[in-house]
Amino acid sequence: MRGVAGMRGKQTVRDMVLSMAVIGAVVAVIYLFLPHDDTDRTKPVDYRIELVTAQRAAPYPVMAPEGLPQGWKPTSVRYDRDAGAAWHLGFLDPDREYVSIEQSTQAYGKYVPKVTLKAENTGRTQLVNGVAWERWAGKKYDALVLRDKGVTTVVTGTAPLARLTEMAEALKGGSTIPSAAPSWPTAGTAAPRS
């Protein structure tokens, strides 16, 4: 009796392995022959209203890019007056890496590590339009940081330094707002606020 029970146990295991192999083959065939949608499903945001609101409310010149080359896509925006007048504008660069502009009146020593996910000052600088920005490096994000008259501006993300610099070079502050809905993925033009 024990021999028959042992033999049934081996057959059950074998049958289960064969069934799994057949199911795996069917799934593989279905995957190969069904069409895949590899298009980018990230929808661009129109940040014009939030930008105008932030520019009117913030105690500093709120920054936004002007004239970015084709391929940049804005993905997130917010302004929080109660969190140190914090401005956030997030983008995907043409290589689908993340880049954000962060500004706030919060204490520099706490704010920069928070928005850069614990990046640290490298002690080096990067010239952006003739102005020296601090270079920060981290495990998740790198950043360019500018401290100026009670506001800290941070360009940070997963993108390489060249892309962070490209974004920082495109930043305009104060009265610069997109005059029309940008035709994404190209950034729109800007006009003075009335």
Side-chain angles (χ1 to χ4, degrees):
M1 285 288 196
R2 201 183 319 167
V4 172
M7 204 166 175
R8 284 187 187 154
K10 288 180 184 177
Q11 285 178 335
T12 303
V13 171
R14 187 192 72 193
D15 290 344
M16 186 171 55
V17 169
L18 288 174
S19 296
M20 293 300 288
V22 169
I23 291 170
V26 169
V27 168
V29 167
I30 290 171
Y31 180 80
L32 288 173
F33 291 105
L34 285 180
H36 303 298
D37 183 10
D38 292 333
T39 58
D40 181 8
R41 293 177 185 242
T42 307
K43 293 185 179 179
V45 298
D46 182 353
Y47 58 88
R48 289 178 298 156
I49 292 171
E50 288 85 352
L51 178 60
V52 170
T53 301
Q55 287 176 336
R56 290 182 177 158
Y60 57 82
V62 173
M63 300 285 212
E66 180 182 336
L68 283 172
Q70 188 169 358
W72 287 84
K73 183 188 294 186
T75 58
S76 58
V77 61
R78 72 181 162 275
Y79 175 73
D80 188 346
R81 182 189 332 239
D82 298 329
W87 168 247
H88 161 85
L89 184 55
F91 283 81
L92 288 180
D93 77 2
D95 300 318
R96 300 198 39 75
E97 293 291 337
Y98 181 68
V99 177
S100 72
I101 301 113
E102 310 287 347
Q103 287 185 282
S104 180
T105 59
Q106 294 178 37
Y108 163 86
K110 291 182 180 179
Y111 180 69
V112 178
K114 179 175 81 175
V115 296
T116 63
L117 304 181
K118 300 183 181 178
E120 295 180 354
N121 193 338
T122 64
R124 295 180 298 188
T125 59
Q126 174 77 30
L127 280 181
V128 176
N129 298 331
V131 177
W133 290 55
E134 298 172 2
R135 285 174 59 178
W136 287 54
K139 291 180 180 177
K140 295 182 180 180
Y141 287 179
D142 291 334
L144 294 172
V145 178
L146 180 66
R147 289 190 281 177
D148 185 38
K149 299 175 188 160
V151 62
T152 302
T153 302
V154 182
V155 176
T156 188
T158 60
L161 180 61
R163 290 290 192 201
L164 298 178
T165 302
E166 185 178 354
M167 175 59 81
E169 288 172 345
L171 291 180
K172 306 289 183 220
S175 62
T176 304
I177 58 172
S179 60
S183 58
W184 306 114
T186 305
T189 57
R193 178 174 64 195
S194 52

